[in-house]
Amino acid sequence: MNLVFKALADPTRRRILELLREREMTAGELAEHFSLAKPTLSGHFAVLREADLVEAEKHGTSITYRLKLSVLEEALLALAGVMGIGLAEKGTDGKKGKGHAT
Amino acid sequence: MNLVFKALADPTRRRILELLREREMTAGELAEHFSLAKPTLSGHFAVLREADLVEAEKHGTSITYRLKLSVLEEALLALAGVMGIGLAEKGTDGKKGKGHAT
DNA sequence: ACTATATTTCGGTATTTGGCAAAATAGCGA
DNA sequence: TCGCTATTTTGCCAAATACCGAAATATAGT
């Protein structure tokens, strides 16, 4: 949980997660959304991976990143719980168009 | 919101918020719960104040800190919203004894 | 005015972080 | 094997962070 909140502390990383919510993307595709150098983004991916917020899958020469929504959700619920905020799952509605899930 | 998540990134600060959930406390009382120097804690208080997660009130020579639960709650809901996590308010159950609020 | 108490501000240090360019790695097709 | 593409790793730097002890500030009591 500590790693998750550390990861969430950076706006770029939150934006990455937000992009991944819509659909999984390769490192390159993600990079197109930012004006940061590839190595910089790669560093952010590493942080997100260590926090277990995303998973990476290799396809040929590219790497596809996918959001692990449940991990994020649990961290948020855990914090809410410990802080005494009454948050309840409402049903992960979800993506834009293409239904699907884990 | 950025400041809130930056503030939440540190375990000590999360613990401070957690302590303040139970009851408001002075800087000194809070400090007793940690093995950190006063100035260090004071720095953490400042971060929490800047994030608007706590409010400080001066009584005599001491300063009482109080958690601003709603700010934390809104930040969590905002993130959950943008990430497409279905979290709903369940009703801030609340403190131990003394009810009250802003 | 002086003293004691509570807390913050001030300097300083060590570690972490976020950024980059250049080099290394890995897979693919010729 | 060579070259091309995608991504990460390495090495570096500047800025931010977390910590501390000492000094400054503010308030209350005498």
Side-chain angles (χ1 to χ4, degrees):
Chain A
M1 177 168 140
N2 193 14
L3 287 179
V4 172
F5 283 105
K6 277 276 219 302
L8 290 177
D10 186 277
T12 299
R13 286 192 293 264
R14 287 199 301 275
R15 181 79 184 119
I16 292 171
L17 295 179
E18 202 180 326
L19 288 168
L20 288 179
R21 182 186 85 94
E22 312 246 336
R23 62 182 177 82
E24 60 185 41
M25 291 173 88
T26 65
E29 284 175 319
L30 282 167
E32 287 172 10
H33 291 79
F34 301 88
S35 48
L36 297 173
K38 300 283 183 67
T40 302
L41 268 300
S42 187
H44 285 306
F45 300 153
V47 172
L48 292 172
R49 252 187 280 116
E50 300 227 342
D52 200 32
L53 281 167
V54 303
E55 55 189 1
E57 196 178 332
K58 208 163 183 178
H59 278 120
T61 96
S62 59
I63 299 179
T64 298
Y65 282 99
R66 182 170 21 243
L67 175 60
K68 294 179 75 170
L69 202 55
S70 61
V71 174
L72 179 55
E73 189 176 295
E74 298 222 346
L76 260 39
L77 283 174
L79 181 66
V82 107
M83 293 300 173
I85 299 178
L87 287 188
E89 201 154 341
K90 214 174 46 181
T92 306
D93 102 318
K95 334 275 198 83
K96 285 301 182 53
K98 45 281 306 265
H100 149 287
T102 303
Chain B
M1 175 168 139
N2 193 14
L3 287 179
V4 171
F5 284 104
K6 277 279 220 306
L8 291 176
D10 186 277
T12 299
R13 287 193 293 264
R14 287 199 302 274
R15 180 78 183 120
I16 291 171
L17 295 178
E18 201 180 327
L19 288 168
L20 287 179
R21 183 185 83 95
E22 311 246 336
R23 62 182 177 83
E24 60 186 41
M25 291 174 88
T26 66
E29 285 176 319
L30 282 167
E32 286 172 10
H33 290 79
F34 301 88
S35 47
L36 296 173
K38 300 282 183 68
T40 301
L41 269 301
S42 186
H44 285 307
F45 299 153
V47 172
L48 292 172
R49 254 187 279 115
E50 301 226 342
D52 200 32
L53 281 167
V54 303
E55 55 189 1
E57 197 178 332
K58 209 164 181 176
H59 279 119
T61 97
S62 59
I63 299 181
T64 298
Y65 284 99
R66 181 171 23 242
L67 175 60
K68 295 179 75 169
L69 202 55
S70 61
V71 173
L72 179 55
E73 187 175 296
E74 299 220 347
L76 260 40
L77 283 174
L79 181 66
V82 107
M83 293 298 171
I85 299 179
L87 287 187
E89 200 154 340
K90 215 173 48 180
T92 306
D93 102 319
K95 332 271 201 85
K96 287 300 183 55
K98 45 271 314 252
H100 153 287
T102 303

